[in-house]
Amino acid sequence: MAKEIAVTDMSVDQAREALARLSALLGQANRDYHGADAPNISDAEYDRLKRRNVAIEAQFPELKRDDSPTEQVGAAPTEGFGKIAHKVAMLSLGNAFENQDVADFDERIRKYLGIGREPLSFTAEPKIDGLSLSIRYENGEMVYAATRGDGSTGEDVTANARTISDIPQSITNAPGVLEVRGEVYMSHADFEALNARISKENEKLEAVGKKPKTVFANPRNAAAGSLRQLDAKVTQERPLRFFAYAWGELSEPLAETQMGAISQLQSFGFVINDLTKVCDSPEALISHYKMIEERRATLGYDIDGVVYKVNDLALQERLGFRSTTPRWAIAHKFPAELAWTELEAIDIQVGRTGALSPVARLAPVTVGGVVVSNATLHNEDYIAGRDSKGATIRDGKDIREGDWVQVYRAGDVIPKVADVDLKKRPDEAVPYAFPEKCPVCESAAVREEGDAVRYCTGGLICAAQAVEKLKHFVARKALDIEGLGAKQIEMFYEDVALPIKTPADIFTLAERDASNLMTKLAKRKGWQDKSVRNLFAAIEGKREIAFARLLFGLGIRHVGETAAKDLALHFLTWDALAGAAEKARPAALAWRSADLAEDHERTAAQAEGRRAKVKESRDAAMAAYAVTAESQTAWDDLTGIDGIGAAVGLALTDAFANERERGEIDRLVDMLTVVSPDAPTQDSPVAGKTVVFTGSLEKMTRAEAKARAETLGAKVSGSVSKKTDLLVAGPGAGSKAKKAADLGIETIDEDGWLALIEGL
Ligand code: IVH
């Protein structure tokens, strides 16, 4: 290799040439390292090249390239995969941990369907710990395969899926459109062999001073890494397998039952899991679960639980989905894996709601294939050895810095601390004193009666809360602004010339930068014309934003992704939501005070006379807050949305009533175009209509009728008003039917309703 010229001796041309070469070299190394996993230079060499690049740039700042490697953090996002929108969303499953959860699942379904003790059967099958894949066939030919992605859009991994021998390329006698879904996984034996092969190759790489490839931590990672290979030839060398267990779009039904449909997939040439069984009761499900758990270690592939699905597909159809999970299926997870390690320190994090959350910093330990170095400690009672009701947990043992603790992981959730080994407690360990001041802004941190959590009272003056709120606002599931991540938020929050203190500030950033003559963002360290342009474009691109994303992004307490989606679907426009929150306010306040009063009564007065007193306190509260019928209807309507309870209702009405918060929300919304969710079936005859159900329904429960009407785009209300479009009245309908008649509102019976929505 030619000797390198010292930077100080370089001519302009030499420097320009060197920068071009370094950019190419470092870019390739980045891509190899993060993408194709075959790095061709050592870490030391990589660092040396990077330093040389910096030195040349310092000497010749005017030559700094647009694609300068100094500006690149890690690799560019993997660009290679195309995106595929799923015709039918790929959802996840709710979890059950205890036997009781399984009994509750059965009960919930019976109640929803209103089928009493009638027979109800389920399938039970292993939950494979891999990654889900959807494969589309048209006229028997595979057209594409896509990963789950965010559930609505996945990555096009067709070329890779074609290398998996469990997946047929073409099928005979299949429906015209068939989307088969299932799990891609790697067997234990193949995983060991792959890692052994990598280790062996690494010996050679190390011998010549090259960077070794990472061995995979577990079969799931190995399967994911292999399926998401840009080069299908690499995937082909990785032995992946596939179990089919579900489907997406179909041009005709596969069967009448889950079991029948799965067998049909088998007849098309797919591999189905032979531990799939039909069970007639929760007890039978649990006994099959135990059987699978006993065999777990000898199956030869990783599973993390057992999935139960309602067997009758017509019932599955009736049960439908909550926003991200089906009502007709649940995953019964295996108990978590455990490990002991040392708790080095307890840190307090201040979240976006001001909650002080204690976090255990642990000596790193492997729990179920994953290295864990942090665990949640929930709250101060948990650390002290008490639960939220004051009862002892862990036999009353408290948790101290320096303790040996048992850590567990259940599913993908944050690891938790289960137990403490008192025998190993250091002599100098002292009980943990939970801070009564916010560690960030030093405001008082208070804990209200009946609340397990201590909250910083600093509100927006607390930098931690403000910054966390902003980070949440730009996060992937919220506004998802490219180039504006947690790191940049922290920077802009502190920035004097161009601060971002609230979400609305993000949308004035470009304008403020343009009128700022002193310190243009593009002139600053770490920024350049291109990155600034990209950032502003990304922000501009989010001026038009989906209702649910915006609502979720505001970070209102209890309003998670699901609640935000449910609310958006119900209200459809931002103004409708804001109006409802305002109207419902007095009723919400009355509800809150009456609810607390009721709790009081429960301990004071005994059963006798309690009802009367509760009613009395409700009435008193209604009077105290001057609750109008309109307010009560708005509150009932809000908390009557499937999945929205009083906690969400209260938090929402609080947020819209809080002057400062409301001011911020309005300032933000004024700058945006809020996009209403697609009404699920626009062409349904009830889309956009307000429907009221009254009287008793005989062929479906109230909850089912309501959920069904909402999926068809209708708005379901609890009371009849001028805005009502349709009343569905069963036997025993009373005042509502009369009112509807008075107002001249169309009224039909249950059969009429079913006929109306038939075939949708
Ligand atoms: S059914 C609509 N069955 O678990 C529900 N999922 O936690 C469709 N999984 O994303 C899923 N084994 O990747 C189903 N036998 C099984 C499964 C299974 C593994 C995965 C799947 C899903 C996740 C949900």
Side-chain angles (χ1 to χ4, degrees), residues 91-93 125-128 132 148 183 245 307 309 326 328:
L91 299 161
S92 58
L93 293 168
E125 71 203 63
K127 182 169 191 297
I128 316 299
S132 44
R148 181 172 157 211
E183 204 85 351
Y245 54 65
V307 181
K309 300 172 185 166
W328 45 264

Side-chain angles (χ1 to χ4, degrees), residues 43-323:
D43 275 359
E45 176 65 0
Y46 178 85
D47 290 341
R48 193 186 68 81
L49 293 177
K50 217 160 168 173
R51 279 197 303 274
R52 185 166 163 83
N53 190 72
V54 172
I56 302 174
E57 283 176 357
Q59 186 88 3
F60 302 91
E62 71 282 7
L63 295 183
K64 187 167 164 180
R65 299 169 57 92
D66 266 1
D67 64 351
S68 161
T70 29
E71 302 301 333
Q72 253 129 50
V73 192
T78 14
E79 277 165 8
F81 294 109
K83 296 267 183 277
I84 289 184
H86 297 299
K87 297 274 191 319
V88 175
M90 288 184 83
L91 299 161
S92 58
L93 293 168
N95 290 331
F97 296 98
E98 315 283 341
N99 291 351
Q100 185 58 45
D101 300 337
V102 181
D104 292 348
F105 169 64
D106 176 74
E107 252 338 293
R108 243 187 347 260
I109 290 174
R110 289 177 178 283
K111 207 168 145 214
Y112 187 90
L113 296 171
I115 55 169
R117 307 311 319 154
E118 280 173 40
L120 179 62
S121 66
F122 301 89
T123 57
E125 71 203 63
K127 182 169 191 297
I128 316 299
D129 197 3
L131 15 35
S132 44
L133 184 72
S134 182
I135 312 147
R136 185 177 174 95
Y137 296 85
E138 287 175 9
N139 303 319
E141 292 300 320
M142 184 199 288
V143 286
Y144 61 70
T147 61
R148 181 172 157 211
D150 65 3
S152 44
T153 310
E155 284 179 325
D156 180 351
V157 290
T158 313
N160 296 349
R162 286 192 197 279
T163 70
I164 301 176
S165 59
D166 286 346
I167 298 178
Q169 303 271 343
S170 60
I171 303 173
T172 40
N173 297 328
V177 174
L178 167 68
E179 284 181 10
V180 178
R181 292 177 175 181
E183 204 85 351
V184 173
Y185 68 101
M186 194 178 280
S187 75
H188 290 160
D190 289 336
F191 165 70
E192 305 290 344
L194 173 63
N195 265 353
R197 206 173 78 206
I198 296 177
S199 304
K200 206 151 175 202
E201 284 166 13
N202 279 348
E203 285 170 22
K204 286 189 206 145
L205 287 174
E206 272 162 14
V208 293
K210 288 191 178 164
K211 203 167 166 353
K213 297 188 199 173
T214 22
V215 292
F216 290 106
N218 53 46
R220 209 199 92 86
N221 286 3
S226 306
L227 185 67
R228 297 188 68 263
Q229 274 294 334
L230 283 174
D231 183 354
K233 279 202 239 70
V234 179
T235 312
Q236 190 155 29
E237 291 162 10
R238 308 270 178 91
L240 293 175
R241 297 170 185 238
F242 182 78
F243 276 128
Y245 54 65
W247 52 91
E249 195 183 6
L250 296 174
S251 54
E252 57 193 84
L254 292 172
E256 287 182 3
T257 61
Q258 175 76 27
M259 198 65 202
I262 295 301
S263 310
Q264 190 66 26
L265 294 181
Q266 186 176 35
S267 77
F268 292 150
F270 289 92
V271 183
I272 64 169
N273 195 290
D274 58 2
L275 291 171
T276 311
K277 191 185 165 195
V278 176
C279 299
D280 292 329
S281 64
E283 294 72 31
L285 289 174
I286 289 164
S287 97
H288 193 55
Y289 168 93
K290 288 198 176 126
M291 192 275 265
I292 292 177
E293 193 178 22
E294 276 161 23
R295 295 225 202 147
R296 186 180 183 186
T298 56
L299 289 178
Y301 50 87
D302 276 353
I303 63 173
D304 57 354
V306 178
V307 181
Y308 306 144
K309 300 172 185 166
V310 168
N311 195 28
D312 184 330
L313 296 182
L315 294 184
Q316 282 193 9
E317 177 78 27
R318 276 180 63 190
L319 285 159
F321 299 85
R322 295 232 40 245
S323 59

Side-chain angles (χ1 to χ4, degrees), residues 628-657:
T628 59
E630 189 192 39
S631 177
Q632 192 59 45
T633 307
W635 172 250
D636 291 343
D637 181 38
L638 178 62
T639 53
I641 301 170
D642 190 23
I644 303 294
V648 176
L650 284 170
L652 205 66
T653 51
D654 280 350
F656 280 85

Side-chain angles (χ1 to χ4, degrees), residues 334-413:
F334 292 132
E337 311 207 36
L338 298 157
W340 286 92
T341 188
E342 195 184 348
L343 190 159
E344 293 172 339
I346 297 177
D347 279 353
I348 301 289
Q349 283 178 351
V350 184
R352 61 171 208 270
T353 57
L356 267 50
S357 310
V359 179
R361 305 290 177 206
L362 307 165
V365 61
T366 306
V367 191
V370 174
V371 179
V372 166
S373 48
N374 299 309
T376 173
L377 292 170
H378 306 283
N379 53 55
E380 56 195 283
D381 284 344
Y382 190 83
I383 297 177
R386 290 185 301 264
D387 71 7
S388 60
K389 297 195 179 69
T392 56
I393 49 174
R394 299 184 301 270
D395 300 325
K397 288 179 276 185
D398 68 330
I399 298 173
R400 303 181 184 185
E401 293 183 330
D403 268 340
W404 276 80
V405 292
Q406 189 183 41
V407 186
Y408 69 102
R409 269 182 69 235
D412 291 331
V413 297

Side-chain angles (χ1 to χ4, degrees), residues 473 503-505 507 542-547 550-551 554 573-578 656 661-675:
F473 184 74
D505 292 344
F507 291 95
K542 297 298 159 104
R543 246 183 234 279
E544 210 180 285
I545 189 76
F547 188 164
L550 174 63
L551 180 57
L554 292 180
T573 69
W574 188 265
D575 290 346
L577 170 77
F656 280 85
E661 197 163 349
R662 180 63 191 269
E664 276 307 329
I665 293 175
D666 288 350
R667 186 161 89 90
L668 173 67
V669 172
D670 279 348
M671 289 190 268
L672 306 177
T673 307
V674 183
V675 182

